[in-house]
Amino acid sequence: MSKEISDGDLMDVAADPEQARRLHKALRTLAGNPNVTGPLKDMAREVLNGRLGMREALDSDAWRGAVGDRMAELRRIDQQMTPEERAAVRERAERWFEQQEQQQEEERDQPDTREGRHGHDAAPADPRDIPPAYRPPTRRD
């Protein structure tokens, strides 16, 4: 992979630096998630590598189609879930959001020393760290 864009490169579509940081993190999650395939993953990688601008990606029919396809897939998964599975997903989502808040607080207190990076937005190493809305429940959850 060539040099990755920074949070600042996303300021043309972000309202503030925090939103740019979250967008950067989301792109890294999409690009690194083994459960995301096809155009959505490809476009996230293209934006991260600087070969495609975020605004250009958002305006493209391919991006909208890929997001729409993923949303339809998530809707199908949701419709097939039992009430118990929904409750487990809800609980997992609540834990994930709590972890994200805690992580953001910790990250604000620690300056990043890596060159050319704004840090705080490394992709999750474990697929179970991916937000529940982006993946179906597994037996390990």
Side-chain angles (χ1 to χ4, degrees), residues 18-19 21-22 100-112 118-120:
E18 179 63 21
Q19 187 179 48
R21 187 192 69 75
R22 289 191 313 265
Q100 293 303 303
E101 286 180 21
Q102 182 180 10
Q103 181 182 357
Q104 287 177 0
E105 288 174 16
E106 291 170 2
E107 289 170 350
R108 284 186 199 112
D109 295 338
Q110 297 177 355
D112 184 23
H118 295 281
H120 324 311

Side-chain angles (χ1 to χ4, degrees), residues 79-137:
Q79 290 170 345
Q80 295 172 354
M81 293 172 87
T82 66
E84 293 82 16
E85 290 170 326
R86 275 196 190 92
V89 167
R90 191 174 309 113
E91 183 179 316
R92 212 172 50 231
E94 288 172 4
R95 281 194 318 263
W96 182 84
F97 281 110
E98 289 170 3
Q99 290 170 349
Q100 293 303 303
E101 286 180 21
Q102 182 180 10
Q103 181 182 357
Q104 287 177 0
E105 288 174 16
E106 291 170 2
E107 289 170 350
R108 284 186 199 112
D109 295 338
Q110 297 177 355
D112 184 23
T113 58
R114 293 175 293 167
E115 183 180 334
R117 296 296 268 262
H118 295 281
H120 324 311
D121 52 7
D126 186 327
R128 289 174 293 171
D129 293 338
I130 306 278
Y134 296 121
R135 64 176 174 83

Side-chain angles (χ1 to χ4, degrees), residues 5-67:
I5 64 168
S6 70
D7 296 354
D9 294 320
L10 298 169
M11 286 302 296
D12 64 326
V13 296
D16 55 53
E18 179 63 21
Q19 187 179 48
R21 187 192 69 75
R22 289 191 313 265
L23 176 57
H24 195 187
K25 183 176 182 177
L27 288 167
R28 294 173 104 195
T29 298
L30 287 172
N33 183 345
N35 296 320
V36 176
T37 60
L40 194 56
K41 181 179 221 117
D42 294 341
M43 292 187 109
R45 286 179 175 166
E46 292 291 306
V47 171
L48 287 170
N49 290 330
R51 291 189 293 267
L52 179 67
M54 190 68 222
R55 184 169 303 283
E56 182 182 4
L58 291 171
D59 289 340
S60 75
D61 290 336
W63 181 270
R64 284 191 298 271
V67 170

